[in-house]
Amino acid sequence: MTDLIHTEKELVQSLRDYIKAEESKLAAVKSWANKLDALTRVSTSDPEGYLAHPVNAYKLMKRLNTEWSELETLVLQNPSDGFISNMSVHRQVFPDAEDETGAAKALMRLQDTYQLDSEAFSRGKLPGMHANALLTVDDCFDMGKTGYNDADYYHAVLWMQQALKQLDGGEESVASKADILDYLSYSVYQMGDLPRAIELTRRLVATTPGHQRAGGNLRYFERILTKQLSEQDQDQQPASEEPILLGTYQRPKDHLPERETYEALCRGEGLQMVRTIHPNRLFCRLQDGRRNPRLLLRPMKEEDEWDSPHIVRYLEVLSHEETEKIKELAKPRLARATVRDPKTGLLTTANYRVSKSAWLEEVDDPVIVRVNQRIEDITGLEVDTAELLQVANYGVGGQYEPHYDFSRKDEPDAFKRLGTGNRVATFLNYMSDVEAGGATVFPDLGAAIWPRKGTAVFWFNLFRSGEGDYRTRHAACPVLVGSKWVSNKWIHERGQEFRRPCGLTEEE
């Protein structure tokens, strides 16, 4: 997206050049008009007397035969050609409708995960950050329409309500009050709040008496409410006058069973403080890879993040120069990240993984050779059978919901094509700091690991027996502020026979 910033700057300059050319053209036309206006005032006051002078007769012939044609050519000139041509070139990299919808959904994802109300969001007030990034009435209206069109009435209500609030506050907009009330009232009805839906629809009727749907909707809502109250033998209560805020309605359940736990960990809530569980088992140390010659003089700084399963963090794994080189190599190759379909075994995109990724080989640059060797030295595991170094960038709302890195028994063919067995371990490099959000969390453990540039975390996905360690289910929390760069190495079973021998029990 940083490239799009520079693209927009170029287009703004092109637009200014176009405006300058239009102004120059208009100034020339105005000069012609002023000159000819003064001339015609004289000639029309006494046409015969004016034409009696042979020079005036000649110049009239010349003007009508030549100069007016030149003026016509000037008027027909189109200074916009350069701007339009520039637009056509850059349009090839413009975001499309799907990208815009994805960005809107990203804001909603951040709103849910970090419990941000629509008003704070519309004012650019994010945790730890105050920026002049405002959402207008029309922005909020479009956000609401994105939810509405996706049958996501929960978010449609939140954003239409915010649009209405800002419109009532005096902001100007293209969207009318009737449009907003129309979407809002029906979305509130879909959330099951009939009294408020009726009250909003009455406002819509009062605002636009001849509205095409409002009258019919109002009668329909009132009929349903009357029937419900009759069946429950209750009297009708007035609609709530409290504003619709985050938490007014319950967010519908989705596919993720640990949604609440996962999002709480992303906010830094509900963390299990491992230091209070086994304080005598958590250490920091200098790790030389079992006397590895490359680490003897400069051992790695290792910190325990969790005791069981053992998750460690290594400090100063990648230098600034190395991270920048890796990002430089990856940027031209970045594409929407994929996941493996458990049914087909094929790679596909999924809404629960929102990032861009690229795969780098050792032939791409010596830095990849060095990084792979360093991972082997630190872990003591064979990386010749590992997957390529994957580089991922998580932008606005970028995330990877809870998942396992290893293949389960219901997807035995997940890594069959590689022929190197299951993913025995994960080595994850953090290549940027993140201002807010973006933690790596383990919902079953209650653990959260925050990105720190130059550090890396490592854990085993499989027990020594080859059985999957289901406690390693983890997630990449949505990035709230900033851009998160990581690179990871998935290390496979083959080649580890003598480096990590099998255990005798399932959980060894």
Side-chain angles (χ1 to χ4, degrees):
M1 289 181 69
T2 53
D3 292 338
L4 293 178
I5 293 290
H6 296 296
T7 295
E8 190 170 43
K9 182 179 179 181
E10 287 182 28
L11 288 175
V12 169
Q13 184 57 50
S14 180
L15 182 61
R16 289 194 177 280
D17 291 341
Y18 160 64
I19 293 170
K20 188 175 180 181
E22 283 282 19
E23 288 175 341
S24 176
K25 170 185 167 181
L26 189 59
V29 173
K30 280 183 177 179
S31 175
W32 272 86
N34 292 337
K35 181 179 69 173
L36 291 169
D37 188 46
L39 188 63
T40 54
R41 276 201 304 270
V42 173
S43 64
T44 55
S45 64
D46 181 10
E48 289 187 8
Y50 176 81
L51 291 174
H53 199 295
V55 171
N56 288 340
Y58 162 72
K59 293 186 71 171
L60 176 63
M61 295 300 105
K62 181 183 176 184
R63 282 198 304 274
L64 292 174
N65 181 54
T66 304
E67 296 181 7
W68 275 99
S69 296
E70 292 174 358
L71 179 59
E72 180 183 25
T73 301
L74 175 63
V75 171
L76 289 175
Q77 282 180 358
N78 192 351
S80 67
D81 288 345
F83 174 68
I84 297 300
S85 176
N86 210 0
M87 279 282 291
S88 299
V89 171
H90 287 300
R91 193 181 295 279
Q92 300 173 38
V93 296
F94 276 16
D96 56 20
E98 183 182 358
D99 294 319
E100 183 181 346
T101 299
K105 289 182 178 179
L107 293 189
M108 296 174 193
R109 185 159 57 245
L110 294 174
Q111 181 178 28
D112 294 337
T113 303
Y114 299 103
Q115 294 186 341
L116 306 170
D117 64 77
S118 302
E119 182 168 13
F121 227 136
S122 72
R123 300 304 176 204
K125 296 178 181 177
L126 301 180
M129 186 177 193
H130 294 278
N132 187 27
L134 307 178
L135 292 174
T136 64
V137 173
D138 291 311
D139 291 332
C140 295
F141 178 72
D142 289 337
M143 287 283 294
K145 277 178 64 177
T146 298
Y148 184 91
N149 293 337
D150 207 33
D152 178 4
Y153 301 108
Y154 172 79
H155 288 108
V157 167
L158 292 176
W159 287 102
M160 287 298 174
Q161 170 70 22
Q162 183 60 31
L164 183 62
K165 182 175 182 179
Q166 290 180 211
L167 187 67
D168 286 343
E171 286 188 30
E172 295 183 357
S173 70
V174 175
S176 68
K177 190 169 187 175
D179 290 335
I180 297 171
L181 284 169
D182 191 14
Y183 280 103
L184 179 58
S185 59
Y186 188 78
S187 298
V188 166
Y189 157 69
Q190 288 288 349
M191 292 304 298
D193 190 346
L194 274 169
R196 199 190 293 257
I198 291 171
E199 188 271 331
L200 288 167
T201 309
R202 285 174 178 163
R203 286 181 63 185
L204 174 56
V205 171
T207 302
T208 313
H211 194 277
Q212 188 175 359
R213 290 178 301 278
N217 284 351
L218 180 59
R219 290 188 293 274
Y220 177 67
F221 296 159
E222 289 175 336
R223 188 164 60 249
I224 294 176
L225 181 60
T226 301
K227 182 179 178 183
Q228 287 182 358
L229 293 174
S230 176
E231 291 174 351
Q232 298 168 5
D233 195 24
Q234 295 179 349
D235 295 327
Q236 183 170 343
Q237 300 295 321
S240 173
E241 295 183 3
E242 292 296 317
I244 302 173
L245 301 173
L246 203 67
T248 299
Y249 301 126
Q250 186 173 4
R251 182 163 39 130
K253 299 292 183 183
D254 64 6
H255 64 280
L256 198 61
E258 67 264 64
R259 170 71 64 188
E260 292 183 6
T261 302
Y262 156 55
E263 292 183 349
L265 289 172
C266 290
R267 296 191 296 272
E269 302 170 5
L271 297 175
Q272 300 295 324
M273 300 303 292
V274 292
R275 292 167 182 77
T276 64
I277 301 174
H278 297 291
N280 60 327
R281 293 176 62 183
L282 293 171
F283 301 93
C284 57
R285 63 189 73 81
L286 293 177
Q287 209 260 69
D288 62 10
R290 298 180 184 177
R291 308 288 294 173
N292 185 297
R294 282 178 289 271
L295 294 180
L296 280 177
L297 294 179
R298 187 181 179 277
M300 297 302 303
K301 299 173 183 178
E302 182 183 274
E303 297 177 348
D304 289 332
E305 288 282 354
W306 201 265
D307 60 339
S308 182
H310 196 203
I311 304 173
V312 295
R313 187 197 292 263
Y314 297 105
L315 280 61
E316 300 173 10
V317 176
L318 296 179
S319 68
H320 172 73
E321 291 72 22
E322 287 172 330
T323 58
E324 292 307 303
K325 185 61 179 179
I326 293 171
K327 288 194 284 187
E328 177 189 326
L329 293 169
K331 280 181 179 179
R333 312 181 192 186
L334 288 175
R336 174 72 187 272
T338 57
V339 296
R340 198 169 297 278
D341 188 319
K343 295 181 180 178
T344 64
L346 300 176
L347 294 175
T348 182
T349 58
N351 290 331
Y352 58 83
R353 185 179 189 184
V354 183
S355 64
K356 285 198 166 188
S357 65
W359 300 86
L360 300 181
E361 303 181 60
E362 292 191 348
V363 296
D364 293 326
D365 194 272
V367 71
I368 309 302
V369 179
R370 293 202 304 272
V371 170
N372 286 342
Q373 184 62 62
R374 196 171 301 151
I375 292 173
E376 181 170 307
D377 294 341
I378 294 171
T379 63
L381 299 175
E382 175 65 65
V383 297
D384 284 349
T385 55
E387 296 175 47
L388 300 178
L389 186 71
Q390 181 184 225
V391 182
N393 173 241
Y394 295 85
V396 179
Q399 64 160 8
Y400 194 174
E401 290 181 355
H403 62 283
Y404 302 101
D405 279 351
F406 63 90
S407 66
R408 275 77 65 210
K409 292 179 180 178
D410 61 349
E411 45 180 8
D413 297 333
F415 304 115
K416 186 176 181 179
R417 178 181 57 83
L418 299 176
T420 52
N422 210 343
R423 288 172 174 167
V424 66
T426 297
F427 194 97
L428 177 64
N429 295 301
Y430 293 117
M431 301 199 303
S432 67
D433 293 313
V434 180
E435 287 89 334
T440 304
V441 298
F442 293 76
D444 291 352
L445 306 177
I449 300 173
W450 305 96
R452 283 155 56 191
K453 184 177 180 179
T455 70
V457 290
F458 172 75
W459 67 87
F460 284 102
N461 297 304
L462 306 179
F463 292 108
R464 287 183 176 272
S465 63
E467 291 295 317
D469 188 345
Y470 285 82
R471 298 172 300 173
T472 61
R473 184 170 169 85
H474 62 285
C477 294
V479 174
L480 179 57
V481 180
S483 179
K484 177 182 173 184
W485 284 90
V486 299
S487 60
N488 63 277
K489 197 76 172 173
W490 281 310
I491 303 171
H492 283 244
E493 292 177 289
R494 302 294 177 263
Q496 319 307 336
E497 291 82 359
F498 298 103
R499 300 192 180 212
R500 191 185 190 235
C502 291
L504 301 178
T505 62
E506 282 193 2
E507 296 188 357
E508 185 180 341

